[in-house]
Amino acid sequence: MAIETTADRVAIDDVSMVYDGSNGPVEALREVSFAVDPGEFVTIVGPSGCGKTTLFRIIAGLQTPTEGEVRLDGDVIDGPGPDLGIVFQEYHLFPWRTVSGNVGFGLEQDGTPAPERRERVEQLLETVGLDGFGDTHPKDLSGGMKQRVALARALAPDPDLLLMDEPFGAVDAQTKAKLQEELLDVWTETGKTVLFVTHDIEEAIKLGDRVVVMDREPGRVQEIVDIDLERPRSRSDRAFGSYYEELLGLIEY
């Protein structure tokens, strides 16, 4: 059944994906449907092979589904664009460019005038906690700092949707916790709509207003869980633990 999209920022509507495998067709996704409200933070979690990354790439306009469609503010997504800010686990920074040069790259490509571009970049570096590092090159940054640069670059065009695919998967636990808190600060400050893919149940609960739980073979939505907890959230809270056990049970059933 088609999703009503009048108030949705994003609508994933009966998305299916079939690949041609060496032993015949491989069904990666089957009739995935859910919607995301403006300003909502939704996390997507599931076991390996459940199609999380395939779904992410389809929402980002990097892949075309076999069936179904994804709409952003009512318009079908048919490719990447400035309305979509994308952050991957790998930073994909230009090593020859400074931090400011990396953050401002998309604005350069869009023809944003230099004075406006500099102001926007400086604002974003302050937002992600990197003011004073504009002239630094990526090789001189820690992993956490590189991911902050990637986040600032994704936010530079002021996208309607921020898509994040396991962005903190390559950093240590302490840095990950700090980046999670900083991301929530940025989300609160900017009011962006966020779709965040993760394999980490604790991360999904800590960040999300709702958690979309994916199942595999084929990848599909098993359940959507509302997280009714005030932020900041702690793993030591009993209610947090209850959500963790619920999601773990869904994934391991």
Side-chain angles (χ1 to χ4, degrees):
M1 180 180 295
I3 294 175
E4 204 48 57
T5 61
T6 50
D8 301 328
R9 176 53 45 86
V10 187
I12 296 92
D13 193 354
D14 285 337
V15 166
S16 297
M17 188 73 202
V18 179
Y19 296 103
D20 291 326
S22 57
N23 296 317
V26 177
E27 191 177 17
L29 295 172
R30 178 187 292 175
E31 298 178 350
V32 174
S33 293
F34 63 93
V36 182
D37 293 334
E40 192 176 17
F41 199 128
V42 172
T43 54
I44 302 173
V45 70
S48 297
C50 71
K52 297 189 301 293
T53 296
T54 298
L55 179 60
F56 176 91
R57 291 181 59 81
I58 289 171
I59 297 171
L62 300 172
Q63 246 176 290
T64 302
T66 307
E67 295 181 8
E69 61 186 17
V70 179
R71 295 187 293 273
L72 179 64
D73 293 324
D75 296 324
V76 175
I77 296 175
D78 56 8
D83 291 340
L84 298 168
I86 304 174
V87 182
F88 297 99
Q89 181 174 333
E90 299 298 328
Y91 318 115
H92 298 299
L93 302 180
F94 299 121
W96 60 89
R97 279 180 167 255
T98 63
V99 166
S100 292
N102 272 281
V103 174
F105 177 76
L107 299 176
E108 288 181 35
Q109 301 305 301
D110 290 343
T112 302
E116 182 181 339
R117 188 170 67 242
R118 283 194 296 269
E119 181 179 355
R120 177 68 174 158
V121 169
E122 289 175 7
Q123 175 194 32
L124 285 167
L125 291 181
E126 182 176 355
T127 296
V128 300
L130 286 176
D131 43 320
F133 287 90
D135 293 331
T136 306
H137 284 82
K139 66 181 177 62
D140 298 316
L141 302 177
S142 67
M145 295 172 77
K146 290 176 183 176
Q147 199 56 284
R148 292 186 187 98
V149 177
L151 175 59
R153 181 179 59 188
L155 291 169
D158 195 23
D160 294 322
L161 174 64
L162 183 61
L163 286 165
M164 309 187 77
D165 186 14
E166 301 195 27
F168 308 146
V171 298
D172 62 84
Q174 184 176 359
T175 302
K176 182 177 185 176
K178 184 172 179 58
L179 287 170
Q180 289 168 346
E181 294 299 336
E182 291 173 351
L183 173 60
L184 288 173
D185 288 342
V186 170
W187 171 64
T188 300
E189 180 179 336
T190 63
K192 292 298 176 190
T193 306
V194 181
L195 260 177
F196 188 106
V197 175
T198 180
H199 67 277
D200 185 335
I201 296 174
E202 185 173 334
E203 182 170 62
I205 298 168
K206 185 174 182 178
L207 297 177
D209 294 319
R210 291 186 294 147
V211 179
V212 177
V213 183
M214 299 286 291
D215 198 5
R216 61 184 166 194
E217 296 179 353
R220 58 195 185 279
V221 174
Q222 182 182 174
E223 193 162 332
I224 299 177
V225 178
D226 294 317
I227 306 299
D228 187 16
L229 294 174
E230 291 190 4
R231 295 181 175 92
R233 298 167 180 171
S234 172
R235 178 70 172 89
S236 61
D237 290 345
R238 180 175 298 179
F240 192 112
S242 295
Y243 279 117
Y244 185 93
E245 293 302 323
E246 178 184 356
L247 292 175
L248 183 63
L250 288 170
I251 290 171
E252 290 188 340
Y253 89 104

